[in-house]
Amino acid sequence: MADKSASKSFGGLKTIVAASAAGTTFEWYDFFIFGTLTATIAKNFFANAGALGTILALATFAVGFIARPVGALVFGHIGDRKGRKGTFLYTILVMGLATIAIGLLPTHAQIGNLAPLLLVGLRIIQGFALGGEYGGAAIYVAEHAPADQRGLYTGWIQTSAAFGLIAALIVILITRKTMTPAAFDDWGWRIPFIISSGLLAVSVYIRARTAESPAFKALHEAGQVAKAPLAEIFTRWRHLKGMLIALFGFMTAQGVIWYTAFFYTQVFLTSIVRLDAALMNGLIMGMTLVSALLYIAFAALSDKIGRKPVLLFGIILAVVSFFPGFHALMKYGNPDLEAAMRSAPVSVVADSAQCHFQFDLIGTHAFTAPCDVAKGIVTSVNVPYASERAPGQAGAFIRVGGQTIAVPSADGLDPAALKAMKAKTAAALKTALKAAGYPDKADPKKANLPMMFAVLVLFAIAACALYGPMASLLVEMFPTRVRYTAMSLPYNIGTGWFGGIQPALSFAMVTATGSIYFGLWYPVITGGVAAVVTLFFLKETKGRDLSEIE
């Protein structure tokens, strides 16, 4: 019923697509300004965290995603009970106001430890609102679109990720160019957050002009709206089974693979490869421009050959390409660093019983054991290292080729003494690294940018093949009466709990092991499990009549 009426109103459908895509573009804009400004946020809100600053900033980024499933339940219930239009109008208002508020927050230097707490609180509010955003946008378009073009039209929701990233990079680039680096780190970083008020106004204006989804309208007129959608999806096995297949078949993979391809690459290129930020932004922007076309292409392809084969292709391509691809980014991005790593490898010699996994979402643990201090110092200068066990050894040592640097215990030191000790040890390490041929940053003249771009495009192909058809697939898996809740929950668990923690967890895995590639096991293993579940349990849904699912 909805499919036929939608096909008769192309002009209306274009407005519907624009309204939905504008909101998701805003969502991704927020995602990328926070992610791209991780280093600056760490300086302003985690000033005393030292080597853990980057992990804490990434963890704060992840906290917003952890809150998303709660928002999915709340707004999913409202969307299935009261309608699609009003619900995703509320979500974008809450999300937008929280984003603007981040740009107005006082820093750690101004109000102390209250600053990171307020930042985390606003990220939780953002995550709560975002939990209802994507599901509403995807459903709204899909319930209007013709069945044989549902992938194509919902593909515009997916490609909004590219538009959001491009907008974020352009705004950040222009802001950086108009002021000194010191001014940007001091107050200029706020501008991209505050500018989001313009995107919010446009999104709200467009959405306010749209009508209710015809599928929900028909359900409402027939008196068949679910009274308790949450209870219904958890007490009926076919709904629960569908959510489990969606979650472990492709949503966990989508979250982890997408963030690895488009976000963790930024952390890797700047923090580990040491590529100039402007070059990194240029590569990511070019990759994103290509991806804008790929989302639509793969979504439209799924209308022809099916959702399942396109999704499966993306998952498998990511699994087999991440390890060789990231090795290639190092090789082509900083050949001098790669040579130094081979000729003068770095190692941390310590009692393994003193070593801890430095993943602390709230930043309350000091990690003062010699092993932890040594690993934190090595990580702070972004060099890979190997761990050498020394059972019973009181302190720790850092070896750089033939040089050895002692790292004493930090137990009992006050914050000022601890900071001074770490700074002294880090300075000695930097001197040893320089003598061993480790470059401070990548030489742009030696970087093979075309080959690096080719690797990034390969990652984009994998991520877009997985993400492009996903909206149409999720909508087609569940009936209208519980669709908002049933599809939003696995989407936000996969994106939030599995994908949102990817940057922080992968970076912590690198810190713990010293291997700059060890963090890639997280997306590779997650993708491998998802490929098996998709292959054996996911049924094809292409072209399904949404009214027949009832």
Side-chain angles (χ1 to χ4, degrees):
M1 190 183 305
D3 295 337
K4 292 179 181 178
S5 63
S7 63
K8 295 178 181 179
S9 179
F10 179 73
L13 186 54
K14 286 196 296 184
T15 301
I16 288 160
V17 172
S20 302
T24 46
T25 297
F26 182 84
E27 169 188 347
W28 290 113
Y29 173 84
D30 161 65
F31 166 80
F32 278 114
I33 55 175
F34 196 97
T36 304
L37 296 177
T38 294
T40 303
I41 289 171
K43 293 176 185 177
N44 282 281
F45 290 92
F46 303 101
N48 296 327
L52 290 176
T54 299
I55 294 178
L56 289 172
L58 290 171
T60 302
F61 168 78
V63 164
F65 286 86
I66 292 172
R68 288 178 70 157
V70 180
L73 292 176
V74 173
F75 289 113
H77 176 86
I78 297 172
D80 283 327
R81 291 280 295 127
K82 303 297 183 181
R84 316 323 194 187
K85 175 189 172 180
T87 305
F88 82 158
L89 187 59
Y90 302 145
T91 60
I92 199 170
L93 274 170
V94 175
M95 176 183 64
L97 293 175
T99 301
I100 296 167
I102 289 178
L104 302 174
L105 275 182
T107 64
H108 188 279
Q110 295 169 319
I111 61 171
N113 291 333
L114 183 59
L117 292 176
L118 290 174
L119 180 64
V120 169
L122 287 173
R123 286 296 296 168
I124 291 173
I125 293 173
Q126 283 182 316
F128 177 75
L130 288 174
E133 168 60 30
Y134 176 84
I139 290 170
Y140 198 61
V141 172
E143 289 182 347
H144 281 87
D148 61 347
Q149 294 181 294
R150 192 176 292 129
L152 172 63
Y153 284 113
T154 55
W156 286 99
I157 302 298
Q158 314 303 77
T159 203
S160 62
F163 299 149
L165 172 56
I166 293 169
L169 291 177
I170 289 175
V171 170
I172 291 172
L173 181 63
I174 292 175
T175 307
R176 285 187 183 277
K177 291 292 185 182
T178 55
M179 60 184 65
T180 64
F184 183 86
D185 286 344
D186 183 34
W187 60 269
W189 62 270
R190 299 179 182 274
I191 295 175
F193 287 98
I194 297 172
I195 283 178
S196 67
S197 58
L199 281 172
L200 174 63
V202 172
S203 300
V204 171
Y205 174 75
I206 297 176
R207 285 191 175 183
R209 298 181 63 193
T210 59
E212 184 53 82
S213 153
F216 180 83
K217 196 173 182 180
L219 195 73
H220 184 269
E221 291 172 352
Q224 295 181 0
V225 174
K227 294 181 179 180
L230 184 60
E232 195 168 316
I233 62 174
F234 280 106
T235 57
R236 296 189 182 181
W237 172 240
R238 70 188 182 103
H239 299 333
L240 182 57
K241 181 177 70 172
M243 288 195 299
L244 291 173
I245 292 173
L247 177 60
F248 294 106
F250 54 91
M251 278 315 316
T252 54
Q254 185 276 324
V256 177
I257 288 171
W258 198 94
Y259 295 144
T260 300
F262 284 93
F263 181 68
Y264 188 63
T265 49
Q266 298 184 50
V267 178
F268 186 83
L269 289 174
T270 53
S271 298
I272 298 176
V273 179
R274 308 180 188 188
L275 196 68
D276 178 73
L279 286 178
M280 182 276 291
N281 285 337
L283 288 169
I284 298 296
M285 189 175 294
M287 170 194 186
T288 306
L289 287 170
V290 173
S291 75
L293 301 175
L294 291 175
Y295 291 120
I296 301 296
F298 283 118
L301 180 62
S302 75
D303 283 329
K304 306 296 182 183
I305 68 172
R307 320 297 186 206
K308 182 174 177 176
V310 179
L311 283 170
L312 201 55
F313 165 74
I315 295 172
I316 294 173
L317 179 60
V319 168
V320 301
S321 67
F322 275 160
F323 272 105
F326 275 84
H327 275 85
L329 289 177
M330 172 58 77
K331 175 183 177 181
Y332 296 123
N334 196 341
D336 290 339
L337 177 58
E338 189 183 47
M341 287 160 49
R342 287 197 304 267
S343 62
V346 177
S347 59
V348 172
V349 186
D351 183 353
S352 58
Q354 299 178 354
C355 302
H356 303 91
F357 187 54
Q358 299 185 45
F359 183 65
D360 180 24
L361 280 175
I362 58 176
T364 58
H365 196 85
F367 297 109
T368 57
C371 178
D372 295 335
V373 173
K375 288 186 175 183
I377 290 171
V378 175
T379 302
S380 70
V381 296
N382 295 314
V383 293
Y385 64 89
S387 296
E388 294 185 24
R389 296 181 179 180
Q393 180 175 286
F397 297 92
I398 302 173
R399 288 179 180 165
V400 182
Q403 305 176 73
T404 301
I405 302 164
V407 181
S409 172
D411 290 335
L413 295 181
D414 60 51
L418 175 62
K419 184 177 181 181
M421 185 272 284
K422 288 183 176 180
K424 181 179 179 181
T425 309
L429 175 59
K430 290 178 181 178
T431 300
L433 290 171
K434 187 173 183 179
Y438 281 77
D440 291 331
K441 59 182 180 179
D443 185 346
K445 295 180 180 178
K446 295 181 180 180
N448 190 332
L449 297 180
M451 288 303 297
M452 295 180 72
F453 183 68
V455 172
L456 293 175
V457 169
L458 182 66
F459 292 166
I461 290 172
C464 293
L466 172 54
Y467 193 54
M470 193 185 69
S472 54
L473 172 61
L474 282 169
V475 170
E476 291 164 344
M477 289 181 70
F478 304 102
T480 305
R481 57 187 285 115
V482 296
R483 183 171 293 134
Y484 208 134
T485 306
M487 72 167 282
S488 294
L489 192 57
Y491 174 83
N492 285 287
I493 291 176
T495 302
W497 291 358
F498 286 84
I501 68 169
Q502 185 277 323
L505 181 57
S506 289
F507 198 78
M509 290 169 70
V510 169
T511 303
T513 63
S515 169
I516 58 178
Y517 306 109
F518 190 76
L520 297 174
W521 280 114
Y522 178 47
V524 167
I525 292 174
T526 303
V529 172
V532 173
V533 175
T534 297
L535 182 62
F536 291 105
F537 297 101
L538 181 66
K539 294 181 179 180
E540 183 55 63
T541 64
K542 175 180 73 75
R544 180 176 286 175
D545 186 338
L546 299 185
S547 63
E548 288 183 355
I549 306 176
E550 304 298 333

